[in-house]
Amino acid sequence: MDFDEAIDRVVAGLERKSRVINPRQKEIVAYHEAGHALVAEARPHADRVAKVSIIPRGVAALGYTQQRPTEDRYLMTRAELLDRLDVLLGGRVAEEPIFDDVSTGAQDDLQRATDIARHMITSYGMGEALGLATFERPRPLFLPVPMNGPKDYSERTAEMIDTEIQKMLDAAHVRVREILTAKRRTLEALAKRLIENEVVERDALVALIAETPTQ
Amino acid sequence: MDFDEAIDRVVAGLERKSRVINPRQKEIVAYHEAGHALVAEARPHADRVAKVSIIPRGVAALGYTQQRPTEDRYLMTRAELLDRLDVLLGGRVAEEPIFDDVSTGAQDDLQRATDIARHMITSYGMGEALGLATFERPRPLFLPVPMNGPKDYSERTAEMIDTEIQKMLDAAHVRVREILTAKRRTLEALAKRLIENEVVERDALVALIAETPTQ
Amino acid sequence: MDFDEAIDRVVAGLERKSRVINPRQKEIVAYHEAGHALVAEARPHADRVAKVSIIPRGVAALGYTQQRPTEDRYLMTRAELLDRLDVLLGGRVAEEPIFDDVSTGAQDDLQRATDIARHMITSYGMGEALGLATFERPRPLFLPVPMNGPKDYSERTAEMIDTEIQKMLDAAHVRVREILTAKRRTLEALAKRLIENEVVERDALVALIAETPTQ
Amino acid sequence: MDFDEAIDRVVAGLERKSRVINPRQKEIVAYHEAGHALVAEARPHADRVAKVSIIPRGVAALGYTQQRPTEDRYLMTRAELLDRLDVLLGGRVAEEPIFDDVSTGAQDDLQRATDIARHMITSYGMGEALGLATFERPRPLFLPVPMNGPKDYSERTAEMIDTEIQKMLDAAHVRVREILTAKRRTLEALAKRLIENEVVERDALVALIAETPTQ
Amino acid sequence: MDFDEAIDRVVAGLERKSRVINPRQKEIVAYHEAGHALVAEARPHADRVAKVSIIPRGVAALGYTQQRPTEDRYLMTRAELLDRLDVLLGGRVAEEPIFDDVSTGAQDDLQRATDIARHMITSYGMGEALGLATFERPRPLFLPVPMNGPKDYSERTAEMIDTEIQKMLDAAHVRVREILTAKRRTLEALAKRLIENEVVERDALVALIAETPTQ
Amino acid sequence: MDFDEAIDRVVAGLERKSRVINPRQKEIVAYHEAGHALVAEARPHADRVAKVSIIPRGVAALGYTQQRPTEDRYLMTRAELLDRLDVLLGGRVAEEPIFDDVSTGAQDDLQRATDIARHMITSYGMGEALGLATFERPRPLFLPVPMNGPKDYSERTAEMIDTEIQKMLDAAHVRVREILTAKRRTLEALAKRLIENEVVERDALVALIAETPTQ
C-alpha cells in the first residue's frame, strides 16, 4: 500500500473494486467528477485538484475529486467560499447538457453548497440582506446542531435568508454553466479518460486541460 | 418451496391463503395491481414487471406488483424518478374509472409518491421553484427522521415546496390517466385474469399486453 | 351468560345496571343512539345495525349502537367512509330538533368523524384541494401519534386541510339532517321504545322502520 | 364534626380560621362570592347553591360558593355549559361596580370559563365558526394535557377559535352584568351578611333573595 | 446583629461592604434607588418604603428599596398592580434625565414589570383587548414555567398581547416621568444623601420629602 | 513566566508558536486586530487597549486585542454598550478596504455584537421599537440558554426585534467605517508593526497613534 493510497483511504473510505456499476451510471459519475475537477482548476481561489477517481469507495461515494490544499487554513475569505460553491455545483452542472437529465448523485454536494451559502449569510456577515447581524446559533459548517426551542428570528428574516441562499446558488449555477460550456471539449475528454482509466492524477489532468482548447 | 416463492416471501411477507376477502374487494385489488403493472410496462425508465399477484401477504399487503431491476442501482435520474411516481399512482388511477370510487388501498403508494416528489424538490435540486438549494435536513427516502427543533426554512419556502409537490403529482396523475385510458381493454383483461388466477407471471403479462390493442 | 351478551361485553365493556341516570339524560341518550341507528340503516354503504342499547357500560359509554359487518374489511372506499361520517354525526343531529339543545355526548363521535375526514384529505388522496399528495405522517385512524418536530407542511396547506375538513363535515351535517327530518316519526318511535325497553334488537328495529312511514 | 363540615373539608380543604385578612380584602371576597351565588340562583340550568362562605380554606381559596348537584351528571348540554360560564364570571362581575376596581381573585374562575368556552368550540361542536369539526386533541376539561409536537390546525383556525372564545365570554359578561345590576340590592345585602356571619346557608340565601326586590 | 439587619439579610442577601464600586456607578445606583423610593411614596396603592440602601449585597443587587407591607396580602387589585408597575419603572426613569444615558441596572425591574403587565392582560382579565378570556397556561408571577408543546393561541392574539403590554408600560413610563420631573429636587437630595450615607431609613426619607417642595 | 504572560494565558489560552499561518492570512489577522485596537482607542466609553497580538493561541484565536478595564464593572450604560459594538465590528471593517474581501474571522465578533444589540433591545429597554417591555426570557449575555417551548412573543414583535438589531449594527458599521477611513494610515502602520513584531504593547500603540496624523 503506497502513500497515495493511504491518503485516499482516509479521505474517501476503503476502495471497493467489487462493486459493479452499469456503464450508464459509470458515465454519469465520470462526467460528474470531471465537472468538479474542471471547475476547481478554473477558479482562482479553489484548492488545486490532486486526483480524480470514479472507483467506488465507502458507503455512498461513487467517485471523488481530491483537492489538496497546500497548507492548513484558518480563515476563509468570501472569494474562497464562492469558489468552493462553484466547485461543489460543478458535478451537477456537468450532467445537465450531456445527459439532458440530472441524477441524485449531487444530493450531498447541494447540501454542502446550501450550507456554505447559509453560513455566509447568517454567520459570516457576507450576505447583502442581513448585513453584519448574525441570525443562527453558532454551529460548525456541515454539522447540523439539533436546535431545541424555537427559531430566534422572525419569519421575515427566515424569508430573506431563504431568498438570498437561492440567489447565491443561482448565481453560482450561472457561473459554473459558463465555465463548463466553454470547456465542453475538455469535459468530454476528461470523462472519457476516467471511463477508460478510472483514475486521473494531477499531471495527466493538467496536460489534458492544456491540450483541449477552450471555446 | 421453489425459488420464486422464496423471493416473494422476502419481498412481500409470508403468503396467507387463509385470509378471506370478499369478491368486491378482490376486484378492487385486481384493478389496483393491474394499474401498477401496466404503467410500469408503459414507462421507459421503470423497472420491468416480474409478477403481479393478488394473494394477500404480510400484514397489510392485499396484492403486489413485483418489479425486478436488472442490477443494483446507485443513482436515480430525474426521468427514472418521474417514472417511479407514475408506477406508484398507477394503482389508484386504475380504480377511478372502473368503480367510480376510490379506496384506501393507495395510502402507502401516495405517501411514497409524495416523498419522492418532496426529495426531488428539496434534496436533489430537481424542482423548479427552489433551484439547486436544499431545504430539508438529509434523510433517506421513505424513512421519516424525526426532527427536533424548528423547521429551518421560511413559511414562503414551505409553501413553494407544497405547491410544487402538488403540481408534480397532478402532472403524474394526468400522464397515468392517459396511459390507462388508452389501455383500458388491457387493464380489464389483466384484472380479470388476476381474479381468475390470482397470479400473473411476466410471460403471461407480456403476451396479454401484446394481444390487447391500445386504443 | 348467552352468546349475544358475550359479544356486547367485548364491544362495549361490562354492563353496569346500577348506574343511575336521570330521565332527562336518559332521553337524550335514547335520541342520540336512535339517530346513529336510523342513519346507519339509511346509508347504502354503512354496516347494518345489530342492536341499539341505552344501558350504560364501561367508563364513558351511556349507550351504543352496534353495527355488525358481515365480514372482515381490508379496504374502505370513499363512499363507505362518507357513510361512516354520516352514521357518526347521526347521534348529535338527532338531539338538535328534539331538545333544541345539544349535549357533550357527541364529543367522541365528532372526533372520530373529524379524524376520518382528515385522513381522507391528507392520507387517502380523497379530498379536492390537495389532490393525491399526502401531507401527514402515516398514522392509523383514531390513534393520535404524538409528533415530534415541526409540521412538515406550510400554513397554507394547513388552512386548506382545515377548510376541507369543515366542508366535508358541513356536507355530512346537511345530509344527516335531511335523513332524520324525513324519519322524525321513526326517530321518536325508536327513542320511545329505547326508553321503555333499554335495548332494541335488529328484528325489532327493522319492523319499527317498516311501520313508520317516512315523510 | 358534623356532616356539613365533613363535606366542606372535602370540597374546599381544611378550614383555617387563623388566617387574617384585612377588612378591605374580606369585603372584596364577600362581594365576589355573593356574585357567584346570585348568578347561580338566577340561571335555570345551574346547580343550586348549598352554602356561601368567606372563611379562608386550603392554599388559595379565600372563599367559596358550594353548589350541590342533585345527582350524578353524565352529560352536559349547551345551555348548562353556558349557565356554568355565567356562574364562573359572577364573582368578577360583582366586584366591578362596587369597587370600581377588580382583583386577581378571579384568575382561576376566568381560566375555567375560558376552558369551557374552548371545549364547547373545539371539542363539543357547540361553536359557530368551526361547526362540528373538532380541532383539539382530546383532553378533559380543566386538565391541561401537555402537547408534544406542533398544533395540528392552521393559524386561521387558531384565530377563529380565539375570536369565538372571546365572543362567548363577552356575551356571558353582558348577561351576568345585567343579572347583577338588577339584583344589586340583593348583592349588597348578601355581601353584608357574609361579612357579618362569614357563612350563609341555602335557607338563609333563599330567604334573603326573596326579601330583596329585583330592580 | 440587630433586628433590622436580620430582616435585611433575608430580603436582600448578606451585606458585602468589601465590594468596590466606582463613584460614577455608585451615583447611578443612588439615583436608581431614589427613583424607586420616591415613586413608591407617591403612589396611593404602593407599599410604603421602609429603607433605601446602596450598599451592595448578594450576587447582583447593587442597591435596594425595601417596601414593608403592613400585612399579608391575598389579593391584588388592578390599581395596586398598576402602582407596582410604576414603582418598578421608577429606577430606570430616574436615570434618564440625570445622566442622559440609561444603564443595564433596570433589567430585572423591566422583566418584572413586563410580567405583571402580561399577567394582567392574559390571566387576570384586566386588559382591554382580550376581555375576560385567559390566554396563558397558569403560572405564578415571576416564575417562568417552561412550556412544552405549542402556544395554544393564535398569532393575532399574541400580537394583541404584545401590543397591550407595550401600551401599559408606555403609559406607566409617562406617569412615572411626570412624578419624577415634579420631584426632581427631592430626587437629587435623596440621591446625594444616599451617596453620603449609603442608607436612608423611613423617617429620614419622609422628612426629606417634606422638606423639598414639589415643582 | 512573567506576569503579563500569565494574564494573557488566562484571557486568550496557551500560546502556540508552532502553528504556521501563511503570510496572506497573517496579514488579514494583523489588519483585523489593528481595526479592533484603533476603534477601541477612538471610542470614549471603551476600555483602553493593553496589548495587540497576532500570535495564535487556544483553539480558535488567531490574534487578540486585550482591553484592560481599570476596575470591576457592575453596570453598563447604553453609551458603553454602543462603544463595545463598535470595537467588535472594528476587526471586520478593517478588512474591507484593504483586501476588498472579508474573512470568516469576524464570525465570533459578529455574534457577540448581535447579542449585545439583541439584549439592548429586548432586555435592557434601550431600543426604540419595544420601549421598556422585555421580550426575551432572562439569559446572560453571550450564553445561549436553550429555550424549551414556543417563543412567548408574536411574529410582529420578532420582526421588530430583527429590524432594530439590523439598524443598530448598520449604524455601528457606518460609525466604524468613518473612524477607520480617517485613521487609514495608522491602521496600515499598526498592521505592518504587528506583522513584523507579532505583539504591540500599549505604550507603542499610543506612540504610533500619536505619530500618524488622522486624515
Side-chain angles (χ1 to χ4, degrees), chain A residues 71-79 81 123-126 129-130 132-138 148-157 160, chain F residues 19-22 25 28-29 62 89 92 101-105 107 110-111 114 118 147-151 155 158-159 162-163 165-166 169 173:
Chain A
E71 60 216 332
D72 281 351
R73 173 170 290 154
Y74 300 101
L75 292 173
M76 295 281 288
T77 68
R78 190 173 187 279
L81 288 165
S123 295
Y124 303 149
M126 295 177 181
L130 305 185
L132 295 184
T134 63
F135 283 103
E136 294 272 352
R137 306 195 195 165
N148 294 309
K151 269 191 301 212
D152 46 6
Y153 47 86
S154 66
E155 256 306 298
R156 211 194 47 156
T157 299
M160 288 164 75
Chain F
R19 199 197 260 186
V20 178
I21 288 190
N22 73 22
Q25 297 196 27
I28 293 175
V29 176
L62 298 172
L89 298 195
R92 151 61 60 95
D101 198 355
V102 291
S103 79
T104 56
Q107 178 173 17
L110 300 182
Q111 264 156 8
T114 303
R118 181 183 298 278
M147 290 195 294
N148 294 309
K151 268 191 300 214
E155 256 306 298
E159 214 176 292
D162 287 1
T163 302
I165 288 174
Q166 287 190 55
L169 290 195
H173 198 164

Side-chain angles (χ1 to χ4, degrees), chain B residues 87-179:
Chain B
V87 175
L88 283 165
L89 297 195
R92 151 60 59 95
V93 178
E95 297 177 24
E96 293 169 2
I98 305 298
F99 302 100
D100 202 18
D101 198 355
V102 291
S103 78
T104 56
Q107 178 174 17
D108 192 56
D109 298 337
L110 300 182
Q111 264 156 8
R112 286 173 179 269
T114 303
D115 208 25
I116 287 174
R118 183 184 296 279
H119 267 76
M120 291 176 69
I121 295 159
T122 64
S123 295
Y124 303 150
M126 294 177 180
E128 278 168 25
L130 305 185
L132 295 184
T134 63
F135 284 103
E136 293 272 352
R137 306 194 194 166
R139 72 179 167 92
L141 252 175
F142 308 144
L143 272 187
V145 175
M147 290 195 295
N148 294 309
K151 269 191 301 210
D152 46 7
Y153 47 86
S154 66
E155 255 307 298
R156 211 193 49 155
T157 298
E159 214 176 292
M160 288 163 76
I161 293 171
D162 287 1
T163 302
E164 194 157 3
I165 288 174
Q166 287 190 55
K167 273 192 197 163
M168 236 183 221
L169 290 195
D170 284 350
H173 198 164
V174 169
R175 284 194 307 267
V176 173
R177 201 186 288 127
E178 280 170 11
I179 293 171

Side-chain angles (χ1 to χ4, degrees), chain F residues 48-201:
Chain F
R48 297 304 97 199
V49 174
K51 181 184 190 170
V52 196
S53 161
I54 62 167
I55 303 173
R57 272 162 194 267
V59 179
L62 298 172
Y64 67 96
T65 297
Q66 187 186 334
Q67 292 172 272
R68 212 174 288 169
T70 47
E71 60 216 331
D72 281 352
R73 174 171 289 156
Y74 300 103
L75 292 173
M76 295 280 288
T77 68
R78 190 173 187 277
E80 288 165 346
L81 288 166
L82 288 175
D83 281 2
R84 190 166 278 197
L85 271 191
D86 290 0
V87 175
L88 282 165
L89 298 195
R92 151 61 60 95
V93 177
E95 298 177 25
E96 292 168 2
I98 306 297
F99 304 100
D100 202 18
D101 198 355
V102 291
S103 79
T104 56
Q107 178 173 17
D108 192 55
D109 297 336
L110 300 182
Q111 264 156 8
R112 285 172 179 270
T114 303
D115 208 25
I116 287 174
R118 181 183 298 278
H119 266 77
M120 291 176 69
I121 295 160
T122 64
S123 295
Y124 302 148
M126 294 177 180
E128 279 167 25
L130 305 184
L132 295 183
T134 63
F135 284 103
E136 293 271 353
R137 307 196 194 165
R139 71 180 168 91
L141 254 175
F142 307 145
L143 272 187
V145 174
M147 290 195 294
N148 294 309
K151 268 191 300 214
D152 46 6
Y153 47 86
S154 66
E155 256 306 298
R156 211 193 47 155
T157 299
E159 214 176 292
M160 288 164 76
I161 293 170
D162 287 1
T163 302
E164 193 157 3
I165 288 174
Q166 287 190 55
K167 273 192 195 161
M168 235 181 221
L169 290 195
D170 284 349
H173 198 164
V174 169
R175 284 194 305 270
V176 174
R177 201 187 286 127
E178 280 170 12
I179 293 171
L180 291 179
T181 302
K183 291 183 184 293
R184 174 142 184 172
R185 283 169 62 183
T186 322
L187 181 72
E188 289 174 358
L190 178 54
K192 198 179 157 204
R193 186 81 61 85
L194 279 166
I195 292 165
E196 286 163 6
N197 299 357
E198 293 199 312
V199 174
V200 174
E201 300 284 348

Side-chain angles (χ1 to χ4, degrees), chain A:
Chain A
M1 185 170 70
D2 63 1
F3 184 71
D4 270 351
E5 171 80 355
I7 289 177
D8 285 352
R9 284 177 180 241
V10 170
V11 177
L14 288 175
E15 201 158 331
R16 301 200 301 178
K17 289 220 177 176
S18 61
R19 198 197 261 187
V20 178
I21 288 190
N22 73 22
R24 164 79 175 184
Q25 297 196 26
K26 195 170 174 179
E27 198 184 356
I28 293 174
V29 177
Y31 273 94
H32 187 103
E33 295 304 326
H36 284 313
L38 293 190
V39 175
E41 290 296 310
R43 302 304 302 159
H45 305 288
D47 293 322
R48 297 305 97 197
V49 174
K51 182 184 189 170
V52 196
S53 161
I54 62 168
I55 303 174
R57 272 164 194 266
V59 179
L62 298 173
Y64 65 96
T65 297
Q66 187 186 334
Q67 292 172 274
R68 213 173 287 168
T70 47
E71 60 216 332
D72 281 351
R73 173 170 290 154
Y74 300 101
L75 292 173
M76 295 281 288
T77 68
R78 190 173 187 279
E80 288 165 347
L81 288 165
L82 288 176
D83 281 2
R84 190 166 278 195
L85 272 191
D86 290 0
V87 175
L88 282 165
L89 297 196
R92 151 60 59 95
V93 178
E95 298 177 25
E96 292 169 2
I98 305 297
F99 302 101
D100 201 18
D101 199 355
V102 291
S103 79
T104 56
Q107 178 174 17
D108 192 56
D109 297 337
L110 300 182
Q111 264 156 7
R112 286 172 179 269
T114 303
D115 208 25
I116 287 173
R118 182 184 297 279
H119 267 76
M120 291 176 71
I121 295 160
T122 64
S123 295
Y124 303 149
M126 295 177 181
E128 279 168 24
L130 305 185
L132 295 184
T134 63
F135 283 103
E136 294 272 352
R137 306 195 195 165
R139 70 179 169 92
L141 254 175
F142 307 145
L143 273 186
V145 174
M147 290 194 295
N148 294 309
K151 269 191 301 212
D152 46 6
Y153 47 86
S154 66
E155 256 306 298
R156 211 194 47 156
T157 299
E159 215 176 291
M160 288 164 75
I161 293 170
D162 287 0
T163 302
E164 193 157 4
I165 288 174
Q166 287 190 55
K167 272 192 197 163
M168 235 182 223
L169 290 195
D170 284 349
H173 198 164
V174 169
R175 284 194 306 269
V176 174
R177 201 185 288 127
E178 280 170 12
I179 293 170
L180 291 179
T181 301
K183 290 182 185 292
R184 173 138 185 177
R185 283 169 63 184
T186 322
L187 181 72
E188 289 175 357
L190 177 55
K192 197 177 158 204
R193 186 79 62 86
L194 279 167
I195 293 165
E196 286 163 6
N197 298 358
E198 294 199 311
V199 175
V200 174
E201 301 285 347
R202 171 157 194 83
D203 290 347
L205 175 68
V206 170
L208 190 146
I209 291 173
E211 283 163 21
T212 49
T214 294
Q215 287 163 330

Side-chain angles (χ1 to χ4, degrees), chain B residues 49-67:
Chain B
V49 174
K51 183 184 189 170
V52 195
S53 162
I54 62 167
I55 303 173
R57 273 162 195 266
V59 178
L62 298 173
Y64 65 95
T65 296
Q66 186 187 335
Q67 290 172 274

Side-chain angles (χ1 to χ4, degrees), chain B residues 21-53:
Chain B
I21 287 191
N22 73 21
R24 164 79 174 184
Q25 297 196 25
K26 194 169 174 180
E27 200 185 355
I28 293 174
V29 176
Y31 272 94
H32 187 103
E33 295 304 326
H36 283 313
L38 293 190
V39 174
E41 290 297 310
R43 302 302 304 156
H45 305 288
D47 293 323
R48 296 305 96 197
V49 174
K51 183 184 189 170
V52 195
S53 162

